[in-house]
Amino acid sequence: MVLKDFDLIVVGGGLAGSLVAFRCAAVRPSFRALILEQGPSLGGNHTWSFHGSDVGSALEWLLPFVKASWPTQRVSFPRFERKMDSAYYSIRSQDLHREVLRKLGPSSIRFGVQATGICENQVKVGSETISAELVLDARGVGFGAPGPFGYQKFLGQDLLLEHPHGVTEPLLMDVKVPQTDGFRFFYLLPWSAHQILVEDTHYSDSPDLNEGVYRSEILRYVEARGWKVAKVLHEEVGSLPIPLKRELGWECPPNAIGVRAGLFHPTTGYSFLDAVRSAEWIRNALAAGPWDNGAWEKYRAGQIRGRWFFRYLNRMFFGGVPPHLRYTLIERFYRLPLKLVKQFYSSQMPWRNYLVLLLWGKPPLPIYKALRLFAEPKENNV
């Protein structure tokens, strides 16, 4: 029996990799974890938000990461507004970095390193070979995934305002804005009386994002609300692929986790809940005995296969209505019972609610058109 350098090596210190290493440190006091991250910090440059009911008992160990929480949220459409009574939490990259570093210790994280030769039990870093009982690959997508895709793209700015903004709860969607480049909304998170995150988001047919235009639109939105910006504290930008095929077809290496493993919500593109669930699953698996790669692959494949309906909804959304009218489908969705709305965002929805989404009230599309969209798209434009 050869003694390994570590119990666990995670290649990639993004959201999924950081949470897995953090959670697995609770397997036993002597557990030895190592994160290899090519960047200067953990978590990249992101804000992640979730409903408390989405994560269940995991909320207890997630609380140290939380920057802010609110008891309610709101959505606003041209003909409809809704306030939802549901606890909502937000985590930022710097909070993730701080808490994982505190838990694991500086010697358990290496920054600015490029890992190569990754296999189940060892990793090469330059001329050094590091061994472990288990190596997990959390380096993000890193390869060409088959299309077609839509895109959820955004630019957000963390703003310090000269005067209080008056926003007391997250505004998840402000759709009372021009519907340019697909479905568009602004997202607001009030951190304090003077500090707020303002994000311009589009569900678009193209991944292209002109950062200068987005910054100008944010300034226009802020000025329309009568706010004056004292300082831009932080900025984050992204373009997330929204898959349109029934089968994801997301090839990944063995022992991949996170987005690299195809574990993200097909419709929102968000990976936070999957990262939390994966961290719990892997922690429990390692606590129970030797790692079983077959069991992990079965779990991963089951999660992806079970979300086919969300990918079908994506085809309805991107191919069923003109881009400037996509907001009407989302407005209809937010009129549904809150329990169903939360089930949708958690990607854990009973099959009977598939019919509710399609048939409740006035169906979003004629039946013949909805059935036609069951067919697989062949090109990148649905």
Side-chain angles (χ1 to χ4, degrees):
M1 180 176 180
V2 179
L3 181 64
K4 300 293 195 299
D5 298 317
F6 293 91
D7 295 296
L8 171 67
I9 296 175
V10 179
V11 183
L15 175 66
S18 294
L19 289 185
V20 162
F22 179 90
R23 190 63 182 133
C24 286
V27 169
R28 58 180 180 272
S30 60
F31 193 87
R32 302 162 300 159
L34 175 67
I35 299 176
L36 301 174
E37 167 55 37
Q38 66 177 355
S41 62
L42 300 175
N45 179 29
H46 300 286
T47 300
W48 303 282
S49 298
F50 62 97
H51 294 95
S53 58
D54 292 342
V55 297
S57 61
L59 181 61
E60 182 178 353
W61 61 266
L62 288 170
L63 283 177
F65 298 106
V66 172
K67 175 179 174 61
S69 63
W70 305 266
T72 60
Q73 322 101 55
R74 185 179 297 275
V75 292
S76 179
F77 293 84
R79 298 173 297 176
F80 171 71
E81 293 202 10
R82 182 177 186 180
K83 180 175 181 176
M84 295 171 287
D85 295 321
S86 176
Y88 194 71
Y89 300 81
S90 287
I91 293 172
R92 310 204 74 171
S93 297
Q94 53 264 46
D95 306 312
L96 181 78
H97 175 93
R98 181 192 66 243
E99 291 302 316
V100 175
L101 188 63
R102 181 187 63 80
K103 179 75 171 180
L104 299 184
S107 63
S108 294
I109 307 172
R110 299 189 190 181
F111 296 105
V113 298
Q114 186 71 43
T116 60
I118 300 170
C119 63
E120 187 176 346
N121 298 113
Q122 67 180 29
V123 180
K124 290 196 69 175
V125 178
S127 60
E128 180 186 10
T129 298
I130 313 171
S131 63
E133 296 295 330
L134 173 65
V135 175
L136 295 176
D137 188 346
R139 292 176 295 169
V141 177
F143 53 85
F149 295 108
Y151 298 89
Q152 195 244 100
K153 55 192 185 185
F154 59 89
L155 188 146
Q157 291 185 329
D158 197 358
L159 304 177
L160 181 64
L161 304 180
E162 293 184 3
H163 306 287
H165 48 67
V167 179
T168 59
E169 61 193 355
L171 182 55
L172 305 187
M173 289 185 179
D174 182 357
V175 192
K176 295 179 179 179
V177 292
Q179 292 299 294
T180 56
D181 193 16
F183 169 52
R184 182 191 184 207
F185 62 91
F186 274 80
Y187 175 64
L188 305 182
L189 289 180
W191 303 122
S192 67
H194 289 80
Q195 186 178 343
I196 189 167
L197 174 69
V198 181
E199 184 177 285
D200 188 2
T201 302
H202 297 248
Y203 271 75
S204 169
D205 298 319
S206 164
D208 300 333
L209 188 157
N210 186 318
E211 296 184 13
V213 171
Y214 276 60
R215 293 186 188 108
S216 297
E217 289 298 311
I218 288 175
L219 182 59
R220 186 195 305 271
Y221 180 85
V222 166
E223 290 177 343
R225 281 181 164 263
W227 300 339
K228 292 186 177 181
V229 178
K231 187 177 182 180
V232 178
L233 302 174
H234 173 82
E235 184 175 279
E236 54 190 85
V237 61
S239 183
L240 307 177
I242 306 299
L244 303 179
K245 295 183 70 174
R246 179 185 174 93
E247 301 298 331
L248 183 61
W250 202 272
E251 296 180 6
C252 67
N255 289 354
I257 63 173
V259 176
R260 194 171 188 84
L263 292 174
F264 59 92
H265 193 296
T267 302
T268 66
Y270 298 148
S271 61
F272 180 80
L273 293 183
D274 276 303
V276 171
R277 292 166 186 159
S278 295
E280 286 282 84
W281 193 98
I282 293 169
R283 184 263 177 194
N284 292 337
L286 292 178
W291 175 255
D292 183 347
N293 186 53
W296 166 250
E297 177 57 26
K298 183 178 179 180
Y299 168 82
R300 185 194 73 86
Q303 293 295 307
I304 294 171
R305 185 171 55 251
R307 298 174 190 179
W308 67 269
F309 182 73
F310 294 92
R311 294 188 286 273
Y312 165 64
L313 290 179
N314 294 346
R315 295 209 291 282
M316 288 183 57
F317 184 71
F318 281 93
V321 294
H324 69 285
L325 293 178
R326 288 173 183 165
Y327 80 92
T328 60
L329 302 185
I330 308 301
E331 180 179 340
R332 174 185 178 275
F333 167 74
Y334 268 107
R335 293 177 183 271
L336 293 168
L338 179 58
K339 182 178 180 180
L340 192 152
V341 170
K342 291 197 292 185
Q343 287 174 345
F344 176 88
Y345 280 112
S346 70
S347 67
Q348 294 184 330
M349 194 167 60
W351 68 267
R352 61 182 176 275
N353 283 342
Y354 296 174
L355 296 177
V356 176
L357 274 175
L358 292 175
L359 302 176
W360 177 83
K362 182 181 179 181
L365 297 177
I367 295 299
Y368 78 89
K369 196 167 189 178
L371 291 175
R372 181 175 62 83
L373 289 168
F374 254 98
E376 292 282 20
K378 296 181 180 179
E379 300 183 9
N380 209 42
N381 293 321
V382 182

mmCIF file of all heavy atoms in Angstrom, residues 352-369:
data_model
loop_
_atom_site.group_PDB
_atom_site.id
_atom_site.type_symbol
_atom_site.label_atom_id
_atom_site.label_comp_id
_atom_site.label_asym_id
_atom_site.label_seq_id
_atom_site.Cartn_x
_atom_site.Cartn_y
_atom_site.Cartn_z
ATOM 1 N N ARG A 352 -45.479 15.964 -12.936
ATOM 2 C CA ARG A 352 -46.833 16.487 -13.168
ATOM 3 C C ARG A 352 -46.833 18.007 -13.349
ATOM 4 O O ARG A 352 -47.711 18.571 -13.997
ATOM 5 C CB ARG A 352 -47.757 16.094 -12.013
ATOM 6 C CG ARG A 352 -47.339 16.632 -10.661
ATOM 7 C CD ARG A 352 -48.283 16.164 -9.558
ATOM 8 N NE ARG A 352 -47.848 16.597 -8.241
ATOM 9 C CZ ARG A 352 -46.969 15.954 -7.485
ATOM 10 N NH1 ARG A 352 -46.439 14.819 -7.931
ATOM 11 N NH2 ARG A 352 -46.623 16.410 -6.299
ATOM 12 N N ASN A 353 -45.827 18.674 -12.759
ATOM 13 C CA ASN A 353 -45.742 20.124 -12.918
ATOM 14 C C ASN A 353 -45.223 20.524 -14.293
ATOM 15 O O ASN A 353 -45.310 21.688 -14.667
ATOM 16 C CB ASN A 353 -44.867 20.728 -11.821
ATOM 17 C CG ASN A 353 -45.606 20.810 -10.489
ATOM 18 O OD1 ASN A 353 -46.831 20.728 -10.456
ATOM 19 N ND2 ASN A 353 -44.874 20.982 -9.412
ATOM 20 N N TYR A 354 -44.675 19.560 -15.038
ATOM 21 C CA TYR A 354 -44.339 19.849 -16.436
ATOM 22 C C TYR A 354 -45.612 20.275 -17.176
ATOM 23 O O TYR A 354 -45.598 21.230 -17.959
ATOM 24 C CB TYR A 354 -43.762 18.617 -17.125
ATOM 25 C CG TYR A 354 -42.444 18.104 -16.594
ATOM 26 C CD1 TYR A 354 -41.906 16.921 -17.073
ATOM 27 C CD2 TYR A 354 -41.730 18.798 -15.613
ATOM 28 C CE1 TYR A 354 -40.680 16.433 -16.615
ATOM 29 C CE2 TYR A 354 -40.519 18.319 -15.141
ATOM 30 C CZ TYR A 354 -40.001 17.134 -15.642
ATOM 31 O OH TYR A 354 -38.808 16.653 -15.189
ATOM 32 N N LEU A 355 -46.698 19.550 -16.927
ATOM 33 C CA LEU A 355 -47.965 19.873 -17.597
ATOM 34 C C LEU A 355 -48.523 21.202 -17.121
ATOM 35 O O LEU A 355 -49.115 21.950 -17.907
ATOM 36 C CB LEU A 355 -48.978 18.747 -17.341
ATOM 37 C CG LEU A 355 -48.611 17.380 -17.919
ATOM 38 C CD1 LEU A 355 -49.667 16.348 -17.531
ATOM 39 C CD2 LEU A 355 -48.469 17.451 -19.432
ATOM 40 N N VAL A 356 -48.332 21.504 -15.840
ATOM 41 C CA VAL A 356 -48.791 22.791 -15.323
ATOM 42 C C VAL A 356 -48.076 23.928 -16.053
ATOM 43 O O VAL A 356 -48.704 24.913 -16.468
ATOM 44 C CB VAL A 356 -48.552 22.887 -13.804
ATOM 45 C CG1 VAL A 356 -48.949 24.269 -13.288
ATOM 46 C CG2 VAL A 356 -49.342 21.814 -13.069
ATOM 47 N N LEU A 357 -46.771 23.797 -16.212
ATOM 48 C CA LEU A 357 -46.013 24.830 -16.908
ATOM 49 C C LEU A 357 -46.494 25.026 -18.341
ATOM 50 O O LEU A 357 -46.559 26.141 -18.851
ATOM 51 C CB LEU A 357 -44.525 24.468 -16.918
ATOM 52 C CG LEU A 357 -43.688 24.874 -15.705
ATOM 53 C CD1 LEU A 357 -42.279 24.335 -15.834
ATOM 54 C CD2 LEU A 357 -43.662 26.382 -15.550
ATOM 55 N N LEU A 358 -46.841 23.916 -18.996
ATOM 56 C CA LEU A 358 -47.231 23.992 -20.391
ATOM 57 C C LEU A 358 -48.685 24.410 -20.596
ATOM 58 O O LEU A 358 -48.997 25.101 -21.571
ATOM 59 C CB LEU A 358 -47.001 22.634 -21.067
ATOM 60 C CG LEU A 358 -45.551 22.185 -21.227
ATOM 61 C CD1 LEU A 358 -45.513 20.783 -21.805
ATOM 62 C CD2 LEU A 358 -44.777 23.149 -22.116
ATOM 63 N N LEU A 359 -49.573 23.998 -19.683
ATOM 64 C CA LEU A 359 -51.007 24.118 -19.950
ATOM 65 C C LEU A 359 -51.747 25.053 -19.007
ATOM 66 O O LEU A 359 -52.920 25.354 -19.250
ATOM 67 C CB LEU A 359 -51.655 22.723 -19.883
ATOM 68 C CG LEU A 359 -51.074 21.685 -20.852
ATOM 69 C CD1 LEU A 359 -51.737 20.338 -20.612
ATOM 70 C CD2 LEU A 359 -51.241 22.127 -22.296
ATOM 71 N N TRP A 360 -51.123 25.508 -17.916
ATOM 72 C CA TRP A 360 -51.832 26.353 -16.945
ATOM 73 C C TRP A 360 -52.298 27.652 -17.599
ATOM 74 O O TRP A 360 -51.542 28.297 -18.338
ATOM 75 C CB TRP A 360 -50.910 26.662 -15.778
ATOM 76 C CG TRP A 360 -51.525 27.582 -14.760
ATOM 77 C CD1 TRP A 360 -52.364 27.244 -13.741
ATOM 78 C CD2 TRP A 360 -51.337 28.999 -14.679
ATOM 79 N NE1 TRP A 360 -52.706 28.369 -13.022
ATOM 80 C CE2 TRP A 360 -52.104 29.457 -13.585
ATOM 81 C CE3 TRP A 360 -50.615 29.923 -15.431
ATOM 82 C CZ2 TRP A 360 -52.138 30.796 -13.210
ATOM 83 C CZ3 TRP A 360 -50.660 31.267 -15.078
ATOM 84 C CH2 TRP A 360 -51.416 31.680 -13.980
ATOM 85 N N GLY A 361 -53.561 28.032 -17.335
ATOM 86 C CA GLY A 361 -54.097 29.253 -17.911
ATOM 87 C C GLY A 361 -54.103 29.170 -19.431
ATOM 88 O O GLY A 361 -54.479 28.157 -20.016
ATOM 89 N N LYS A 362 -53.676 30.225 -20.064
ATOM 90 C CA LYS A 362 -53.550 30.223 -21.513
ATOM 91 C C LYS A 362 -52.193 29.668 -21.882
ATOM 92 O O LYS A 362 -51.166 30.209 -21.497
ATOM 93 C CB LYS A 362 -53.692 31.642 -22.062
ATOM 94 C CG LYS A 362 -53.624 31.708 -23.585
ATOM 95 C CD LYS A 362 -53.758 33.141 -24.077
ATOM 96 C CE LYS A 362 -53.652 33.186 -25.603
ATOM 97 N NZ LYS A 362 -53.760 34.577 -26.105
ATOM 98 N N PRO A 363 -52.128 28.550 -22.626
ATOM 99 C CA PRO A 363 -50.826 27.972 -22.991
ATOM 100 C C PRO A 363 -49.941 29.003 -23.673
ATOM 101 O O PRO A 363 -50.423 29.834 -24.452
ATOM 102 C CB PRO A 363 -51.203 26.829 -23.935
ATOM 103 C CG PRO A 363 -52.598 26.463 -23.539
ATOM 104 C CD PRO A 363 -53.255 27.758 -23.140
ATOM 105 N N PRO A 364 -48.633 28.978 -23.397
ATOM 106 C CA PRO A 364 -47.741 29.989 -23.958
ATOM 107 C C PRO A 364 -47.591 29.896 -25.460
ATOM 108 O O PRO A 364 -47.286 30.885 -26.114
ATOM 109 C CB PRO A 364 -46.406 29.697 -23.261
ATOM 110 C CG PRO A 364 -46.482 28.246 -22.866
ATOM 111 C CD PRO A 364 -47.927 28.015 -22.526
ATOM 112 N N LEU A 365 -47.813 28.691 -26.023
ATOM 113 C CA LEU A 365 -47.696 28.492 -27.466
ATOM 114 C C LEU A 365 -48.848 27.623 -27.951
ATOM 115 O O LEU A 365 -49.365 26.800 -27.195
ATOM 116 C CB LEU A 365 -46.375 27.794 -27.822
ATOM 117 C CG LEU A 365 -45.058 28.499 -27.508
ATOM 118 C CD1 LEU A 365 -43.899 27.587 -27.869
ATOM 119 C CD2 LEU A 365 -44.955 29.803 -28.244
ATOM 120 N N PRO A 366 -49.253 27.773 -29.224
ATOM 121 C CA PRO A 366 -50.212 26.818 -29.789
ATOM 122 C C PRO A 366 -49.649 25.403 -29.697
ATOM 123 O O PRO A 366 -48.434 25.198 -29.806
ATOM 124 C CB PRO A 366 -50.338 27.277 -31.241
ATOM 125 C CG PRO A 366 -49.914 28.706 -31.236
ATOM 126 C CD PRO A 366 -48.878 28.823 -30.174
ATOM 127 N N ILE A 367 -50.526 24.429 -29.486
ATOM 128 C CA ILE A 367 -50.088 23.050 -29.280
ATOM 129 C C ILE A 367 -49.240 22.558 -30.452
ATOM 130 O O ILE A 367 -48.211 21.900 -30.259
ATOM 131 C CB ILE A 367 -51.302 22.128 -29.070
ATOM 132 C CG1 ILE A 367 -52.026 22.494 -27.762
ATOM 133 C CG2 ILE A 367 -50.849 20.674 -29.023
ATOM 134 C CD1 ILE A 367 -51.173 22.353 -26.520
ATOM 135 N N TYR A 368 -49.642 22.882 -31.672
ATOM 136 C CA TYR A 368 -48.893 22.380 -32.834
ATOM 137 C C TYR A 368 -47.473 22.917 -32.832
ATOM 138 O O TYR A 368 -46.520 22.213 -33.202
ATOM 139 C CB TYR A 368 -49.609 22.760 -34.134
ATOM 140 C CG TYR A 368 -49.418 24.196 -34.567
ATOM 141 C CD1 TYR A 368 -48.354 24.572 -35.390
ATOM 142 C CD2 TYR A 368 -50.303 25.187 -34.143
ATOM 143 C CE1 TYR A 368 -48.172 25.883 -35.776
ATOM 144 C CE2 TYR A 368 -50.128 26.506 -34.518
ATOM 145 C CZ TYR A 368 -49.065 26.849 -35.332
ATOM 146 O OH TYR A 368 -48.889 28.156 -35.701
ATOM 147 N N LYS A 369 -47.296 24.151 -32.394
ATOM 148 C CA LYS A 369 -45.963 24.737 -32.375
ATOM 149 C C LYS A 369 -45.128 24.147 -31.244
ATOM 150 O O LYS A 369 -43.931 23.880 -31.405
ATOM 151 C CB LYS A 369 -46.051 26.257 -32.218
ATOM 152 C CG LYS A 369 -44.764 26.985 -32.569
ATOM 153 C CD LYS A 369 -44.997 28.476 -32.696
ATOM 154 C CE LYS A 369 -43.762 29.159 -33.262
ATOM 155 N NZ LYS A 369 -43.970 30.619 -33.446
#
